[in-house]
Structure formats: structure tokens, C-alpha cells
Amino acid sequence: MPFTTPNTKVGEVIDFIDTHDFSHFIVFTNNFEWIANIPTSSFYDHDESDHIEDLLYTTQNFYLKPTDDLSVAMDICSKHQTNVIPIISENQLLIDIISSETITTTINDSHFLKDNGATIIIEHDINEISFARIAQVVETNNAKLLGIITLAIVSNRMQILLRTNQINTIAILNDFRRFGFDILSKNTNDDYQNKLMDNSNYLNKFLNL
């Protein structure tokens, strides 16, 4: 992204926005001092002669710290419906800009998804969900829980992606249903579901690509 200041004219960044599919424009100076994140849709509500300072009322001030992990990035993408996140130092300097596409690629290339195993996506009321219960369902069916990620929280419903070692998957799915979980993923041997959901496509949809 080009560096800007509050005095930069809207018209100077419209061309960049038109050619890049970003949900937000990261405002920073030529000294890489981070100022704010402005929804790109806001630029089209102003004349090209207006200045960025005229848009600062629309800012959404989210960012990552260098020490934040992947789960924080995913949470920001979901909460702010963004596909781009600035990484900011303690001195408010812009270190880097990360896209949700990079986050998705990192997840898909990780051992979490690449290693052999069963992928299950479940949903439940956030006030009733228990990670201990999830682990118990998997382990009481003589399977191993390899990892777990919270994908999203929508209208008090939490969506979770978990990976197991592919043992007794059908029994695990049936137990989750017995405990009131909705199964959002598809297992090829699970006749209860009739809609195929590809893991990478689901993550892309979740991250608003």
C-alpha cells in the first residue's frame, strides 16, 4: 500500500483501491507510522478532492502485534470482516501487512491440516460449549484429538474445527449430535449429512476472501 497522511486526497488512493481487493486501506506515513484502518467502501462515499482526514470517523483500529499468533489473526478477520491486517510495533510503527489469503495458506500448509487425520467442523451455543467435553467425546471413542481451532462466533453460536486421528469418526459425530452439536463438515462415510464442504473453501469463506 502507498504511504499517506491525513492530508492525502481521496483521489490519490482510489486507483490503488480499484486494482486491489482489500476490505480496508491501511493509513501510514512515509516514516511508517501507523495511523488507522479505513474501510475501502468509505472512499467511494467522498469526493476525490476530499482528504483522508475526512474519513477518519470511519476507522476501525485493529492490528496484530509481532508476538500474536495465528488464532489472533483469525479472530480479527472474523470480528472486523477484514481481509488485511497491519502488524504494528510497540512504537506504533508499521512492520508488515498480512492478508487473510496468507493466513489461509499458512493454515492449509500446516501439519494441523496436511497430516493424515479426520477434519470435523462443529457448532454449538457459546454458553454451553466445553472444550473438555469435545476432548472427552473424541477420547471416549478411543481416538486422539490432534488439534482444535475456533473458527467463528456468530449470533452466540461458536464454530470449531478439530482434527482427530481418523479412528471411530462416525461414532464421534453421532456423540456430538447427541450432545446437541451441529455438524457442519462432511465425512464420506457419514450418511447423516448430504452437503460436501471442502476445508479450504470453508476457511476462505470464514476469512471473507
Side-chain angles (χ1 to χ4, degrees), residues 89-134:
S89 72
E90 292 182 358
N91 297 323
Q92 297 294 292
L93 296 179
L94 181 69
I95 299 174
D96 201 354
I97 296 173
I98 186 172
S99 70
S100 55
E101 182 178 3
T102 300
I103 297 171
T104 302
T105 300
T106 301
I107 294 173
N108 290 337
D109 288 343
S110 69
H111 290 293
F112 180 73
L113 287 181
K114 289 184 71 175
D115 288 354
N116 289 333
T119 300
I120 301 172
I121 301 173
I122 56 178
E123 182 181 83
H124 205 300
D125 188 293
I126 189 173
N127 296 314
E128 299 179 9
I129 206 162
S130 166
F131 287 99
R133 172 61 60 82
I134 292 172

Side-chain angles (χ1 to χ4, degrees), residues 42-73:
S42 298
F43 285 86
Y44 298 102
D45 296 330
H46 288 75
D47 293 332
E48 293 191 3
S49 59
D50 289 342
H51 297 87
I52 284 182
E53 64 182 356
D54 298 321
L55 282 72
L56 292 180
Y57 71 93
T58 68
T59 58
Q60 297 178 350
N61 293 331
F62 54 82
Y63 58 87
L64 287 170
K65 297 178 291 186
T67 55
D68 286 335
D69 59 25
L70 196 60
S71 64
V72 177

Side-chain angles (χ1 to χ4, degrees), residues 8-21:
T8 300
K9 289 186 176 181
V10 169
E12 294 180 37
V13 298
I14 284 291
D15 287 343
F16 176 85
I17 293 174
D18 285 342
T19 55
H20 295 79
D21 189 23

